[in-house]
Each structure stands twice: as structure tokens, then as C-alpha cells.
Amino acid sequence: AAAAALAGPGGATVLAAVCAALGLCALFTALWGRKAKKLSSLPGRRAFLLSGWAAAALLAAACTAGGYVLRWETAVAPALALEGETVTLRGTVLEDPEEEYHRYYYRVQVEEVAFPGEEALRGGFTVRLSAYKPLLVQPYDRLEATVKLSAYSREGGLFSPFNGALAEGNVLKGSITRYDQLRLLPDPGRSLPEGLVLFRRHFVKK
């Protein structure tokens, strides 16, 4: 996962293809050795085990890199195209807020994004939303807000704020620009994740 993040989506695609090819070669070698009945000797058994472990490790790496590319193409890249835009955002608050330097930060799973006078676009990514005062929301409330979106810095390579945010599940950050347009949306019903969050909050407070 770290190698895929460091290489970026293009490098991760190449990494996935190379690992998949090498993994299949190692798997073929292991199966060929078993079919050729070379397991009767100690060197043959060792070669079979090494080939099997190498195949498993390489194919797992290919799946990890492939998953990174898939997430990038389906969630990260479309979200980054909104960098610098002011949009109407509709989404679900995932957690209790974090307070840092007199600001309050909420993780919001974005359902829809809309520009003024245009049809809403599908979301599917997570934003770390900042506000200068606490909002009257709780986990799994749905809200609508006018938000200025921005991207995290990519300086620092693997340990950049951008990769750190992705590791936490956040693609963009945003700040509320119109508090008078902030509103709660109808609740479709309490879900199991919401119940778990509320239970955890109650347990911690106790």
C-alpha cells in the first residue's frame, strides 16, 4: 500500500501488472513442480514452498495496488477535480467533531455535490469539513451546506498531508462559507453504524 501511494496511480498500475505477472509465474512454477512429482526430495519441497509463498505475496501486492488504482479512479480523481470550487454539498456526518485551534472538524461522507443552477453530481468521497463554531449535528445526521473545497498538500512524498488524509479516509477538506444556508436533511432511519457510534459515545462518557 505504501509503495502504491508513493508511486501514484500511474506507477501503481504498472506495479499491479508486474506483481500479477510475477505472481502467476511463481504459481505456475509451484504447480508445475507438484505435477512433476518433485516433492519427494527436500530441495523439491523447499522450492515448492518458496514458489507458493512468493506467488501468494506477489498476488496480494497486485490486489493491493489494483485496489488503490480503483479507488483513485472512482473516488479520488473525481473529487480532486472539485478543488477550489464552492459547491452545495449534501452528506452524512460520520463522527463527533475534532476541535483544533478553536475550529471544529467534521468527517462528512458526501452523497451529492451541486454547482449553483446545475444538477447535482454524485459524491462517493469523504470531506473533512471545518467550522468556526460547533454545529448542531451528531453522527449520522444528514446535512446540506455551502462549502469551499480544497486539496491537501502533496509536499513530503509518502508522508505528505495528502497521503495522510487519504489514509484517514479523507479526500478533500472544506470550509463552510454560508452558515445561513446550513440545514439538516430528513433522516432515512437509524443504521447499524450509527447505533455503534452512539453506543461508543455513551460508553466513553460513562
Side-chain angles (χ1 to χ4, degrees):
L6 184 61
T13 302
V14 175
L15 180 64
V18 171
C19 287
L22 294 176
L24 290 175
C25 289
L27 181 62
F28 175 79
T29 300
L31 295 177
W32 177 81
R34 182 177 182 181
K35 186 176 181 180
K37 298 181 180 179
K38 293 186 177 183
L39 303 183
S40 57
S41 64
L42 181 60
R45 289 195 295 272
R46 286 178 176 174
F48 172 77
L49 290 175
L50 287 175
S51 297
W53 280 111
L58 288 167
L59 292 176
C63 290
T64 300
Y68 177 87
V69 174
L70 179 63
R71 180 171 180 251
W72 182 279
E73 294 296 333
T74 58
V76 178
L80 291 177
L82 299 172
E83 179 185 359
E85 301 286 355
T86 298
V87 300
T88 299
L89 177 151
R90 302 181 187 95
T92 302
V93 179
L94 298 179
E95 300 172 347
D96 287 317
E98 297 179 358
E99 183 180 359
E100 296 178 8
Y101 303 106
H102 306 293
R103 292 192 69 87
Y104 298 85
Y105 295 89
Y106 298 81
R107 290 189 66 227
V108 176
Q109 179 67 39
V110 179
E111 300 169 7
E112 292 181 341
V113 172
F115 293 96
E118 298 184 13
E119 292 187 3
L121 305 174
R122 186 180 176 187
F125 56 92
T126 304
V127 167
R128 191 172 189 245
L129 193 63
S130 70
Y132 73 85
K133 61 183 179 180
L135 307 178
L136 297 178
V137 297
Q138 63 180 357
Y140 289 88
D141 279 347
R142 298 175 65 243
L143 58 77
E144 178 180 283
T146 302
V147 176
K148 172 80 170 181
L149 298 174
S150 57
Y152 291 89
S153 170
R154 300 195 188 189
E155 294 183 2
L158 182 60
F159 302 101
S160 67
F162 178 77
N163 283 333
L166 284 184
E168 295 176 355
N170 303 317
V171 179
L172 291 172
K173 54 185 176 179
S175 58
I176 299 175
T177 60
R178 294 288 302 273
Y179 285 85
D180 59 319
Q181 296 181 356
L182 178 66
R183 68 187 184 96
L184 289 179
L185 299 175
D187 184 1
R190 182 163 295 179
S191 63
L192 177 59
E194 177 186 4
L196 293 175
V197 169
L198 296 178
F199 174 81
R200 182 181 63 185
R201 178 199 290 173
H202 176 77
F203 180 78
V204 171
K205 285 185 177 180
K206 293 294 184 180

